[in-house]
Amino acid sequence: MQMADLLNRKKAGLALTASEIEYFVAGFTAGSIPDYQASALLMAICLRGMTDEEAAILTDCMARSGDMLDLSAVDGVTADKHSTGGVGDKTTLIVAPLCAAAGLKIAKMSGRGLGHTGGTVDKLESIPGFRVTLSNEAFFEQVNRVGVSVIGQTGNLAPADKKIYALRDATQTVDSIALIAASIMSKKLAAGARNLVLDVKCGSGAFMQTQEDAQHLARLMVEIGKRCGRRVTAVITDMDTPLGTHIGNALEVTEALEILQNRGDKDLRVLCLALSAQLLKSGLGLSDDKAMQKAEQILKSGAAYKKFLEMVEAQGGDAELLRRNPDFLHAKCSRTVPAPRDGYIVHMQTRVVGESAQLLGAGRAKKDDAIDYAAGLVLHKKTGNLCRAGEPLVTLYAADAARLDEGEARFLSALEFGDVPPQKKPLILGKVE
Ligand code: URA
């Protein structure tokens, strides 16, 4: 087999065979297929697309390019969630303990963030003492005993994805829906859980800007999951305004603790319940209504809150500190920014709000940048809210005044004011089951 044949077939818009896809993934991962040929194939895929079957085969080959986590040491029904990423997304901190309190086993490997704030692992590391590195034995033991563990990615999970993603990044081929779906799902297949809920975000703070693209991506990932023997459902959700009110690592843990104690932002609560109910439905075989009732009952009873603290304690974190003081980490400097005028917030460029958090110190611009766990912002007003000039709009947290200045200017540039309220968009835009 030769790369030239694959390139010609894809250039002509034909489907690649399973053995051709295997040849490409194995050869490129091993280094025998050079970057220039791989780049040409990725561009041809970008322009010509892939069938569902090709995308599923590509995903499976990428998953098998490294370690496949064997969760057979976990007793019970394994479940995982994935979000395509957005601003203020702390849902894992709520959904994982909630589903564990309902009896599912959540053995979750999560990433660090590059961009506006850290990833789930960075958020958890903001808790004093919390360990995100566990041996496989300790990880499985905790999942069996507590029901949930969230750790950083270990081992050699989907190395083909790492190599292909780096090339896509350099060749403007990131935005192929087939390649995005294969990239995300290869890591999820390798991570081993049988049940998976995907939160596919769409809007100005998301990877997918339109609902149509989000729907395509969700449908394809669910289809790939099915073809690869996993139960996958997807929820398509709005990311045209940040999720919840807190953006930043420790700040997001604080907000998650509020929801876990049955208080806090209504939209964030609704989304966490919807994602949890999807997992309870597929993992426990419940109807939609029963799954939602169970999720609500667990949240209201405080069982999810207790489970979160149990997980924190099991991973060495100071659960007692969180119990005593949910607002557990304070930045050196803060500033409350007043609304510049009377009017409704008609739009927040959510990605720009995220950039403001990064300038405050909450995120990384480069892989090795340090994060300031206490940095970030708390929104007092969001899209649709009426503001009076001078009313508190947002409180910014950072290590120094220069960062506050930068964060403030970027934050204000994200806002659009108007005299009439914008049309309210639903938070949950669709589901794919
Ligand atoms: N996230 C991923 O993991 N891969 C992509 O290609 C895009 C987003």
Side-chain angles (χ1 to χ4, degrees), residues 15-38:
L16 301 176
T17 63
S19 45
E20 285 172 334
I21 295 171
E22 275 162 28
Y23 167 78
F24 163 64
V25 174
F28 182 56
T29 312
S32 58
I33 292 172
D35 281 5
Y36 54 85
Q37 284 186 318

Side-chain angles (χ1 to χ4, degrees), residues 256-332:
L257 287 166
E258 271 189 25
I259 300 289
L260 287 164
Q261 290 175 92
N262 228 2
R263 303 192 295 265
D265 184 84
K266 190 167 147 281
D267 279 352
L268 176 58
R269 175 188 158 88
V270 165
L271 178 55
C272 290
L273 286 171
L275 295 171
S276 303
Q278 284 299 115
L279 274 185
L280 300 185
K281 183 179 165 190
S282 74
L284 301 179
L286 301 177
S287 67
D288 281 312
D289 286 352
K290 285 263 172 328
M292 182 52 85
Q293 273 168 20
K294 195 167 180 78
E296 279 175 344
Q297 177 252 320
I298 285 170
L299 192 61
K300 275 195 195 137
S301 70
Y305 173 64
K306 224 170 117 216
K307 190 58 75 184
F308 178 76
L309 294 180
E310 235 183 287
M311 174 181 83
V312 168
E313 205 160 285
Q315 290 183 233
D318 192 345
E320 191 42 43
L321 172 67
L322 301 189
R323 219 175 263 124
R324 272 198 328 270
N325 183 14
D327 183 14
F328 60 98
L329 196 65
H330 293 154
K332 286 209 187 86

